Amino acid sequence: MTGSAPGSPADPIQAPGTPEPVWRAWSGLERLPAAALPHDGPIVIVAAHPDDEVLGAGGTIARLAAAGARLTVVSVTDGEASHPHSSRVTPAQLAAIRAKELREALTTLGAPDADVVRLQVADTRVGAHEDEVAAAIEPLLKGARLCLAPWTGDVHSDHEAAGRAALAAARAATVDCWMYPVWMWHWARPDDVRVPWDRAVAVALADRVPELKRKSVGCFVSQIHPLGPGEADAAILPPDELAHHLRDIEVFFT
């Protein structure tokens, strides 16, 4: 995940968010219909930045890997702009770090052989390359059973653009596309009218899967721990944000 680009003070990502206990107390999550995961075949998972796919769909990735699905993960950007003013790492160094963290996370989820495709679109600039991203994703969907992608209403420009590109590619390839929210859990609230709850489904994470996801999230050290003592090197994902992604379900919009 890369934080939102500097914007207005009203930016909902920069504003205080909804505490995780509020979400866990909401019965609406329990009422979501269960998603029917495919049991085989290729699956394409699209992410705007390395870690979005694990935060939003890591448990689902673990379930698909355990079922023997062939997984392709598309990193639209390398997430090199998560710490644009850092004095500790350059953008190129951070890109390499985040690619390594993603591979470690996928291995932790039981998907060490997943193909990782790095499109290397400039971080924070996905919207300017949306058609190119869609064109790159479409051939990867040939024969796929499912595409997972960021939700187009996530209120993060890169997430939304990556989601629109994936959705366009999936429609062209006649493949179902499920969209996972990431920042929504921060800015939205239970029963929020801005969220299409009528299209939401849940993937249950049972047995060892929640623990595998927790460990895989921990692989993104550059995002969950400070790079250094200064404000420019602060963690992008503090514990209160991570808590939204460590439940025993994952939610998708179909």
Side-chain angles (χ1 to χ4, degrees), residues 15-174:
T18 300
E20 177 60 12
V22 173
W23 284 112
R24 291 183 183 250
W26 182 45
S27 63
L29 292 179
E30 299 174 0
R31 296 194 302 267
L32 294 178
L37 288 175
H39 297 295
D40 55 12
I43 310 290
V44 176
I45 304 110
V46 177
H49 316 99
D51 75 354
D52 292 336
E53 66 290 284
V54 173
L55 293 169
T60 302
I61 290 171
R63 284 192 53 180
L64 290 167
R70 182 161 57 85
L71 305 179
T72 297
V73 176
V74 181
S75 291
V76 177
T77 82
D78 285 333
E80 72 277 6
S82 67
H83 294 78
H85 305 296
S86 174
S87 61
R88 298 299 182 101
V89 293
T90 66
Q93 289 171 330
L94 193 51
I97 289 169
R98 296 192 69 174
K100 182 174 182 290
E101 290 172 343
L102 173 58
R103 179 54 72 185
E104 291 171 350
L106 291 172
T107 298
T108 300
L109 291 172
D113 298 325
D115 293 329
V116 176
V117 179
R118 295 168 62 186
L119 300 186
Q120 297 186 301
V121 173
D123 194 358
T124 76
R125 297 288 298 158
V126 179
H129 302 277
E130 200 171 311
D131 291 343
E132 300 164 42
V133 173
I137 294 171
E138 185 178 344
L140 300 174
L141 289 169
K142 184 177 181 180
R145 294 289 305 279
L146 181 65
C147 177
L148 305 179
W151 179 41
T152 54
D154 211 34
V155 189
H156 184 296
S157 61
D158 276 357
H159 292 197
E160 294 186 348
R164 288 192 300 267
L167 188 58
R171 285 172 174 164
T174 320

Side-chain angles (χ1 to χ4, degrees), residues 209-249:
V209 174
E211 178 62 13
L212 290 177
K213 182 174 181 181
R214 185 188 67 79
K215 289 180 178 179
S216 68
V217 169
C219 292
F220 295 102
V221 175
S222 71
Q223 305 300 294
I224 65 177
H225 297 294
L227 299 177
E231 183 178 350
D233 292 308
I236 301 298
L237 290 167
D240 57 338
E241 291 301 324
L242 290 176
H244 297 318
H245 304 287
L246 299 177
R247 304 173 184 147
D248 59 1
I249 66 165

Side-chain angles (χ1 to χ4, degrees), residues 141-210:
L141 289 169
K142 184 177 181 180
R145 294 289 305 279
L146 181 65
C147 177
L148 305 179
W151 179 41
T152 54
D154 211 34
V155 189
H156 184 296
S157 61
D158 276 357
H159 292 197
E160 294 186 348
R164 288 192 300 267
L167 188 58
R171 285 172 174 164
T174 320
V175 173
D176 285 343
C177 186
W178 296 1
M179 317 208 87
Y180 56 86
V182 177
W183 279 112
M184 185 204 79
W185 303 112
H186 173 85
W187 56 258
R189 296 188 64 83
D191 279 326
D192 199 311
V193 296
R194 297 169 292 178
V195 178
W197 299 113
D198 59 325
R199 294 193 287 111
V201 296
V203 172
L205 311 182
D207 303 323
R208 295 180 58 243
V209 174

